[in-house]
Amino acid sequence: MSSIDQIAAALQGYDPKALPAEQVNQFLARLVEPVSGTDTLGVFDALGRVLAEDVVSPISVPPHDNSAMDGFAFDGGQLRAGEPLTLQLAEGTAFAGTAWAGTAQPGQCVKIMTGAIMPSGLDTVVPLEFVNITADQVTIPANVLQQGDNRRLLGEDLMAGQAALRRGQTLGPAALGLIASLGLPQVPVCRRLKVAYFSTGDEILSLGETPREGAVYDSNRYTVFGLLTRMGVEVIDMGVVKDEPAALETAFRTAAAKADAIITSGGVSMGEADHTKAMMKQLGDVAFWRIAMRPGRPMAVGKIEQGGQSAVLFGLPGNPVAVMVTFLAFVRPALQRMMGCTACEPVLLKAHSAETLRKKPGRTEYQRGTVTRAADGALQVRTTGNQGSGVLSSMVQANGLIVLHHGQGSVAVGDEVDVMMFDGAI
Ligand code: AMP
Ligand code: MG
């Protein structure tokens, strides 16, 4: 495990007082590593978990050539361009789940249902609605079909012995179905990540406390709880911790003993006269950053040890929007990496800006945006009102973050901008 100094030395031009957002992710990718330990879970319980090993298919899917339509199976080699084809209907039907028992003779066809195994020697299915049937004869009009049509091939979804799913993939509904389609009742997944969270600051009120002058209700605990829960981690809520050395020390030590990662909010800005930073420094190997970004800026990262256990620390700023933005931009990908995910980069989409956005090169800005479809069908995005870092309602209204990159300048109406959509994250 690398120390803060080792990672810093490995990064070109690292300056903790003016850190580009991109370098934050590079730093964190070196700081965190996937946790060890796996659980073997039933398919239903594996939803949202990260696959710990490749799933190799024990069978081919589908296991046989089968019909994609209700109709008549025949040997497509008999089709001639420009000519109809008349076939003799054989006795019996090929049902899904009950194969046709006979052997088709040349010139014969067999009635077949969707999903039924193709009778041997037959490779093409003409749908019911295409044919004319008279007594025991089936006539296929000219030029409606080609050899092999309406037949699903053995293994066209998956071949036995192939990796059906890769380690590091988060299991969604489609993956659950795929696992079940292979007949596998259980899958190995990475163990659940444990993340402890607490808010710091003397001015922070817990719900139920009487309001007093200068105090604000704690919202960060709730947004962080929501963000973490959406990721499928085990959240350890540690409440609001007063800005007192003893309380902070207990909180950090307890969190480090229980959790893989600790998230705090507040008390990390440059001008802070409180004890949070001092305690982080005392108990851990921690870097204090000023990130070239807006909103956000201050952030502490490192490791805190307690009783042989080590937890990664993410000390987020206090402002409610800054908390959510730094979480989405930096903490989420780092936690995903710890969870065993292999694809942690958020996917950005492009939308045309519906307004002018003023922006100075030299920092990354994350503006709250609402993406909609314009009259011409293209995606457009506009900002949600006041972009102040304490204006949490801007996050409620938005459906994504407009990412104005480090080197980027102002944006004119109609320019394309990158948007990090909230999707299931928020
Ligand atoms: P700080 O980073 O501690 O200087 O806090 C910056 C701003 O965020 C201050 O206005 C704090 O009152 C506010 N703040 C800090 N923590 C929270 C919290 N848990 N919930 C809501 N606002 C907070
Ligand atoms: Mg403070």
Side-chain angles (χ1 to χ4, degrees):
M1 216 172 282
S2 310
S3 71
I4 292 288
D5 286 346
Q6 285 167 332
I7 300 170
L11 292 179
Q12 284 262 308
Y14 169 79
D15 176 3
K17 290 197 168 60
L19 205 60
E22 212 173 276
Q23 217 174 58
V24 171
N25 287 321
Q26 289 167 7
F27 195 109
L28 292 176
R30 290 169 184 256
L31 181 72
V32 306
E33 51 196 36
V35 294
S36 52
T38 59
D39 297 320
T40 301
L41 296 182
V43 183
F44 286 129
D45 294 326
L47 182 65
R49 301 290 292 267
V50 180
L51 202 56
E53 289 164 27
D54 289 357
V55 170
V56 175
S57 181
I59 55 169
S60 295
V61 181
H64 310 276
D65 288 1
N66 69 92
S67 177
M69 301 288 274
D70 291 342
F72 299 93
F74 67 104
D75 171 6
Q78 301 165 98
L79 289 164
R80 296 284 171 270
E83 290 174 23
L85 175 66
T86 297
L87 299 161
Q88 207 62 31
L89 184 58
E91 192 102 355
T93 300
F95 290 104
T98 313
W100 185 68
T103 307
Q105 304 303 314
Q108 272 192 329
C109 66
V110 178
K111 191 165 187 195
I112 193 163
M113 299 294 136
T114 305
I117 298 177
M118 292 294 288
S120 82
L122 308 189
D123 60 5
T124 308
V125 174
V126 58
L128 210 52
E129 56 271 28
F130 280 20
V131 299
N132 296 308
I133 307 171
T134 48
D136 58 355
Q137 290 202 324
V138 174
T139 302
I140 304 167
N143 303 326
V144 296
L145 220 56
Q146 286 186 356
Q147 186 169 20
D149 278 0
N150 304 309
R151 170 195 51 167
R152 303 173 181 144
L153 290 171
L154 177 151
E156 78 176 19
D157 192 353
L158 277 171
M159 274 303 205
Q162 246 182 12
L165 291 164
R166 293 285 180 192
R167 180 183 64 82
Q169 173 165 359
T170 303
L171 300 175
L176 292 198
L178 191 68
I179 292 163
S181 77
L182 304 180
L184 299 173
Q186 293 183 317
V187 273
V189 297
C190 300
R191 79 156 168 83
R192 229 160 162 185
L193 201 68
K194 286 179 258 178
V195 184
Y197 170 75
F198 56 90
S199 301
T200 70
D202 281 342
E203 80 282 27
I204 308 303
L205 294 173
S206 291
L207 293 181
E209 279 191 272
T210 317
R212 57 173 193 274
E213 196 171 86
V216 292
Y217 281 110
D218 178 10
S219 59
N220 293 340
R221 235 173 101 202
Y222 297 86
T223 49
V224 171
F225 159 82
L227 289 162
L228 289 172
T229 302
R230 281 271 203 266
M231 293 183 66
V233 307
E234 188 182 323
V235 186
I236 303 169
D237 172 31
M238 300 186 59
V240 179
V241 177
K242 288 281 176 233
D243 190 34
E244 294 158 4
L248 286 164
E249 179 168 358
T250 305
F252 278 119
R253 288 192 187 279
T254 309
K258 281 192 198 174
D260 302 298
I262 306 168
I263 299 176
T264 62
S265 76
V268 292
S269 17
M270 283 292 158
E272 286 284 340
D274 60 22
H275 302 291
T276 307
K277 285 208 291 190
M279 194 51 67
M280 289 176 176
K281 227 180 264 178
Q282 186 185 320
L283 298 179
D285 178 22
V286 180
F288 296 92
W289 288 339
R290 276 170 78 162
I291 306 169
M293 70 184 293
R294 202 154 107 167
R297 287 252 287 177
M299 187 169 162
V301 299
K303 293 220 164 126
I304 292 189
E305 315 270 342
Q306 173 60 30
Q309 300 272 82
S310 162
V312 178
L313 170 72
F314 301 96
L316 305 185
N319 275 307
V321 179
V323 166
M324 295 192 80
V325 168
T326 49
F327 186 100
L328 291 170
F330 312 129
V331 180
R332 193 168 189 268
L335 292 180
Q336 283 174 325
R337 193 180 169 80
M338 294 177 77
M339 291 165 72
C341 291
T342 43
C344 316
E345 288 283 307
V347 177
L348 304 182
L349 62 78
K350 290 220 180 285
H352 297 280
S353 181
E355 60 195 288
T356 307
L357 302 173
R358 288 184 51 212
K359 154 81 168 59
K360 276 193 275 184
R363 69 178 180 213
T364 307
E365 288 191 19
Y366 300 84
Q367 303 210 3
R368 275 69 76 204
T370 309
V371 175
T372 54
R373 205 164 278 288
D376 65 358
L379 293 178
Q380 69 171 13
V381 64
R382 59 175 64 250
T383 54
T384 60
N386 185 343
Q387 297 290 300
S389 64
V391 183
L392 198 50
S393 56
S394 68
M395 285 297 287
V396 176
Q397 287 160 32
N399 59 10
L401 292 174
I402 303 170
V403 184
L404 302 175
H405 298 282
H406 191 86
Q408 203 172 345
S410 290
V411 171
V413 174
D415 283 357
E416 273 195 336
V417 287
D418 278 334
V419 185
M420 187 194 296
M421 294 302 287
F422 291 158
D423 289 324
I426 288 188

